[in-house]
Amino acid sequence: MAPKRQRQPHSAEFFGPQRDHWWNRDHLALIAARFGLESVRSALDVGCGVGHWGRLVATVLPDEATITGIDREPAWVRAASELATRSSLGDRFRYQEGIAEALEFADGGFDLVTCQTVLIHAVSPRAVIREMLRVCRPGGVILVAEPNNRASLLVDTSVNAGAPVEDLLERLRFALTCERGKAALGEGHNSIGDLLPGYLAEEGVENVQTFISDKTEALVPPYGSEGQALRAYTIKQAEEETWGWSREDARRFFTAGGGGEDEFDLAWGRRQEENRAAARALERGTFHTAGGTILYVIGGRKPTGAGPPARA
Ligand SMILES: C[S@@+](CC[C@H](N)C(=O)[O-])C[C@H]1O[C@@H](n2cnc3c(N)ncnc32)[C@H](O)[C@@H]1O
């Protein structure tokens, strides 16, 4: 019998150093100014993981602002706490276990409630948004950074540019089938970002504003220090035969999305061929792409009056 693979904590495959390069600091500072974050003294980072987003957001908050992070994975809470202590940030950051849909905080306790790539994993993003709003003070800010993950599949690279239209459609069909399956299994909608401005407005958030990170995942030889992290991540995917997800997860999502078992093996083989072609070109130093992505940051203010509008 094959040895049972140990369960990795949620999102383990996404916590590499490439995650530190999703935002330009000056753009984040501009976003902070647009949302008036200069008055924030307490922030909550929901689904904090090992703290990438919270640490980044902290750089555009006043020095005296404290950041509390919650995550349902004990391993991430430990890792985030250790990282904060090691970086002498222990005074500003506090991490604890928690569930986004049932936050263990009193109403209205935080000036800013935020998350990054968490709503894409939620069974009900609206339930998480409501909870985030509950713990946000009236007049405080809710800010969510969430992607449309499928958009980047349409971006050309030096390796796939000019491929037959059918190949591109097959790739998109595979991704969409997996995306639908993941949602059907209650593991979240990977491109939920498109819908979130509307969800926030429907939950009564005022002055909803939507922006996109002005940073792409560009890979241009000789790649530079940031490019190296993304280059290494892409090569690792080819070596480990993953595609963002492991083969097992992709198979679960694909079949739950209506794809056939037999179809999966063929489609997965194609993804691996694509990965290997990209990895070979990266190793030769010939791979390049502008690497367009859609990572939204969407936010607004919790009303100072009564709660969300009544639904008819
Ligand atoms: C993709 S990671 C994002 C981590 C972090 N926000 C960042 O941007 O680096 C998603 C995180 O959300 C956590 N998570 C997912 N669903 C959750 C829930 N319902 N309650 C609390 N944490 C959750 C996962 O454990 C994981 O650490």
Side-chain angles (χ1 to χ4, degrees):
M1 203 165 104
K4 200 166 176 199
R5 202 183 273 195
Q6 192 141 24
R7 179 191 168 269
Q8 292 254 65
H10 192 281
S11 298
E13 58 276 42
F14 302 115
F15 285 165
Q18 80 287 347
R19 202 175 185 87
D20 285 323
H21 306 305
W22 286 2
W23 296 92
N24 282 316
R25 299 291 172 102
D26 55 352
H27 186 218
L28 215 53
L30 176 64
I31 288 167
R34 286 170 175 170
F35 284 101
L37 301 189
E38 64 280 355
S39 57
V40 168
R41 296 293 177 272
S42 59
L44 177 65
D45 178 17
V46 176
C48 58
V50 299
H52 284 97
W53 177 238
R55 283 194 302 276
L56 200 58
V57 169
T59 64
V60 295
L61 297 182
D63 288 345
E64 58 270 39
T66 57
I67 293 93
T68 304
I70 71 102
D71 201 283
R72 68 180 177 196
E73 293 283 358
W76 298 151
V77 172
R78 276 196 304 276
S81 304
E82 282 164 20
L83 271 168
T85 309
R86 245 188 287 146
S87 329
S88 308
L89 293 169
D91 290 353
R92 287 189 79 189
F93 291 82
R94 205 166 64 89
Y95 294 99
Q96 63 188 66
E97 284 176 48
I99 302 291
E101 292 82 355
L103 297 168
E104 291 181 5
F105 299 106
D107 295 359
F110 294 96
D111 298 324
L112 168 69
V113 185
T114 186
C115 69
Q116 174 174 265
T117 57
V118 174
L119 300 177
I120 54 168
H121 300 296
V123 186
S124 167
R126 288 176 191 274
V128 177
I129 291 168
R130 272 180 220 134
E131 224 7 37
M132 290 173 77
L133 278 170
R134 181 184 66 74
V135 301
C136 185
R137 75 164 165 78
V141 174
I142 177 170
L143 198 68
V144 302
E146 301 282 340
N148 169 324
N149 269 319
R150 79 178 89 107
S152 48
L153 292 175
L154 293 174
V155 174
D156 275 350
T157 72
S158 55
V159 166
N160 69 17
V165 168
E166 290 312 318
D167 289 6
L168 186 59
L169 290 177
E170 185 274 330
R171 190 165 190 258
L172 200 55
R173 184 176 174 279
F174 177 78
L176 277 171
T177 307
C178 290
E179 192 176 280
R180 294 283 155 87
K182 181 174 181 265
L185 291 169
E187 296 182 39
H189 177 345
N190 251 29
S191 296
I192 195 73
D194 294 347
L195 301 176
L196 292 174
Y199 286 6
L200 290 191
E202 284 168 11
E203 294 304 328
V205 175
E206 290 178 344
N207 191 23
V208 174
Q209 299 183 69
T210 303
F211 307 102
I212 294 177
S213 170
D214 73 351
K215 189 88 178 271
T216 72
E217 298 205 322
L219 273 164
V220 183
Y223 306 123
S225 58
E226 289 189 11
Q228 292 299 343
L230 188 55
R231 176 181 181 272
Y233 176 70
T234 310
I235 293 174
K236 187 162 165 265
Q237 287 216 72
E239 286 167 357
E240 295 181 350
E241 301 192 357
T242 57
W243 197 66
W245 303 303
S246 66
R247 181 189 181 105
E248 301 89 87
D249 278 343
R251 180 189 288 279
R252 275 192 316 114
F253 298 154
F254 186 74
T255 51
E261 288 275 355
D262 46 341
E263 223 188 324
F264 175 81
D265 289 334
L266 193 62
W268 186 254
R270 288 197 175 130
R271 303 295 77 77
Q272 297 315 311
E273 274 170 33
E274 291 164 0
N275 277 354
R276 283 192 295 271
R280 279 195 301 274
L282 278 164
E283 276 159 353
R284 282 196 303 267
T286 56
F287 185 95
H288 60 86
T289 178
T293 57
I294 297 185
L295 176 55
Y296 297 106
V297 59
I298 305 152
R301 285 203 178 265
K302 176 171 169 172
T304 45
R311 284 161 199 267

